[in-house]
């Protein structure tokens, strides 16, 4: 799991590079991770490293990862606590305890019940939605570019590219900086895209050359064309 996107009203409404944040984030959960919703929280259960964790994440929380959960659980154990909580999440290392009972205690409104667990409270002022969105964007950008490079495309200046998740790029393509490829765009083999073009929901056949500054939306370009 690389993270959960910001979740308004219990459903993913953000879009990362043309794909639902939920589709992208949830597809990266560990196979042994269970996710359920209860009121204002998402509940995650997973094993990561040495920690068997139960985690509650507020539905308005930006990105969160099991790596971060394990680090928090370790921090709590070292301090002699059962778990750790921040204003937006709570992580408890199960350590053989019953997950259902822990869930009841963590979600209990009555403060006396919650005292059955010793939770280390911390604040995380640097953990902001804007910063976490930036991290997600960079991560997905690298992932998309790496996938196309592995398939045989040459893509320059990764940080300047905006390539949505459903774009198809054939082997032998060369894509220069500042390209924006959106929607269901398909780029055929050995096509060259020079800088500063926007291509959306278009099909460009093999062997084409697209010079700088083109804007193509819903276009069909035949083989060997020069634009």
């Amino acid at each position: 799991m690389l993270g959960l996107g910001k979740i308004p009203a219990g459903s993913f409404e953000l879009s990362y590079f043309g794909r639902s944040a939920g589709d992208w984030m949830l597809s990266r959960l560990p196979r042994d991770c269970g996710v359920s919703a209860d009121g204002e929280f998402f509940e995650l259960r997973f094993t990561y490293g040495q920690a068997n964790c139960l985690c509650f994440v507020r539905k308005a929380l930006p990105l969160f990862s099991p790596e971060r959960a394990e680090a928090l659980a370790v921090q709590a154990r070292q301090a002699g606590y059962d778990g750790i909580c921040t204003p937006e999440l709570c992580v408890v290392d199960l350590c053989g305890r019953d997950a259902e009972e822990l869930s009841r205690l963590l979600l209990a409104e009555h403060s006396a019940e919650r005292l059955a667990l010793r939770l280390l409270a911390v604040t995380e002022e640097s953990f902001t939605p804007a910063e976490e969105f930036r991290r997600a964007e960079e991560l997905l950008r690298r992932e998309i570019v790496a996938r196309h490079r592995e398939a045989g495309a040459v893509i320059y200046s990764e940080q300047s590219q905006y390539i949505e998740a459903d774009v198809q790029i054939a082997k032998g393509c060369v894509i220069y900086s500042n390209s924006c490829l959106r929607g269901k765009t398909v780029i055929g083999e050995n096509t060259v895209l020079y800088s500063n073009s926007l291509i959306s929901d278009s099909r460009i056949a093999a062997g084409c050359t697209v010079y700088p500054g083109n804007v193509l939306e819903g276009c069909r370009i035949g083989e060997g064309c020069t634009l």
Side-chain angles (χ1 to χ4, degrees), residues 29-210:
L29 287 168
R31 291 184 179 180
D32 63 348
C33 183
V35 182
S36 60
D38 188 346
E40 63 176 314
F41 290 94
F42 263 89
E43 176 184 332
L44 297 88
R45 302 181 191 182
F46 56 88
T47 302
Y48 192 87
Q50 299 301 312
N52 186 18
C53 291
L54 175 67
C55 176
F56 283 91
V57 185
R58 288 189 185 276
K59 290 180 180 177
L61 182 72
L63 296 185
F64 181 76
S65 68
E67 292 93 335
R68 186 161 171 267
E70 184 187 30
L72 291 173
V74 168
Q75 183 179 347
R77 287 198 304 271
Q78 291 175 342
Y81 287 82
D82 297 308
I84 194 165
C85 65
T86 78
E88 295 179 308
L89 63 91
C90 178
V91 180
V92 178
D93 188 347
L94 292 175
C95 292
R97 290 177 293 216
D98 181 73
E100 296 298 333
E101 177 64 12
L102 281 179
S103 297
R104 187 186 69 79
L105 292 173
L106 290 169
L107 293 174
E109 295 183 4
H110 196 281
S111 59
E113 288 187 305
R114 298 201 64 171
L115 288 176
L117 286 173
R118 297 183 66 247
L119 300 179
L120 176 63
V122 299
T123 59
E124 298 181 288
E125 296 178 356
S126 63
F127 190 68
T128 64
E131 174 63 16
E132 291 306 304
F133 185 88
R134 182 190 66 79
R135 293 178 189 176
E137 185 182 38
E138 289 182 356
L139 182 61
L140 183 53
R141 186 194 307 275
R142 291 197 300 270
E143 184 178 288
I144 290 173
V145 170
R147 170 164 53 86
H148 291 302
R149 284 173 171 167
E150 289 172 2
V154 176
I155 301 177
Y156 294 107
S157 189
E158 171 187 306
Q159 292 300 317
S160 73
Q161 305 288 355
Y162 180 89
I163 303 174
E164 291 190 349
D166 294 326
V167 170
Q168 299 179 43
I169 303 173
K171 65 180 180 180
C173 289
V174 179
I175 300 178
Y176 286 88
S177 61
N178 298 313
S179 294
C180 180
L181 308 179
R182 302 181 58 197
K184 302 294 185 180
T185 291
V186 177
I187 310 296
E189 291 186 1
N190 302 316
T191 287
V192 178
L193 304 181
Y194 286 99
S195 302
N196 304 318
S197 288
L198 165 63
I199 302 175
S200 178
D201 292 316
S202 297
R203 299 183 68 90
I204 300 178
C208 293
T209 301
V210 180

